[in-house]
Amino acid sequence: TCNAVGGCQSAAAPCAQACDEPTDTCVECVADSDCSGSTPFCAGNTCVACTVDADCGNNKFCDGVETCNAAGSCVSAAAGPCAEQCDEAADTCVECLADSDCSGDTPVCSGNVCVGCTVDADCDNN
């Protein structure tokens, strides 16, 4: 247990959070079980959000891959994975999701691809 000035000793009041016996100091954590909520991992006697990139995933394909920085915080990707449109439901990049994503000679979105027409009436006798 730790005393009031942060040193560990026997029969004293326990540390507010955890006692690092090898260094004889009160610390925020010595194991993941000492942490909870948005900072569930213990790294360097501090509760952090992540210790590896895999701890940061938000299960959303379209906003890119989150990473864990050296301070133990999750960092959002600078950009999503798609150059054009992203279909979150299918976890894939596509050319279009709606007609408004298309233009010029291919103004119609059909099957996530911009095309000139989908029925003969749209093709202007081409």
Side-chain angles (χ1 to χ4, degrees):
T1 60
C2 293
N3 64 25
V5 294
C8 299
Q9 68 184 36
S10 203
C15 292
Q17 290 179 295
C19 185
D20 184 19
E21 294 292 345
T23 61
D24 196 30
T25 57
C26 288
V27 293
E28 185 175 8
C29 62
V30 292
D32 289 350
S33 60
D34 297 326
C35 302
S36 63
S38 63
T39 54
F41 304 103
C42 184
N45 299 121
T46 302
C47 292
V48 295
C50 60
T51 57
V52 295
D53 291 345
D55 297 335
C56 296
N58 67 1
N59 297 320
K60 292 182 180 179
F61 175 78
C62 293
D63 66 357
V65 177
E66 296 76 21
T67 57
C68 183
N69 67 17
S73 297
C74 292
V75 178
S76 297
C82 302
E84 295 182 70
Q85 301 298 316
C86 188
D87 185 345
E88 188 71 61
D91 286 350
T92 190
C93 298
V94 296
E95 185 176 1
C96 62
L97 295 170
D99 289 349
S100 60
D101 298 327
C102 302
S103 63
D105 292 337
T106 55
V108 178
C109 182
S110 177
N112 299 117
V113 176
C114 292
V115 296
C117 57
T118 57
V119 294
D120 288 342
D122 292 338
C123 292
D124 295 328
N125 298 321
N126 291 334

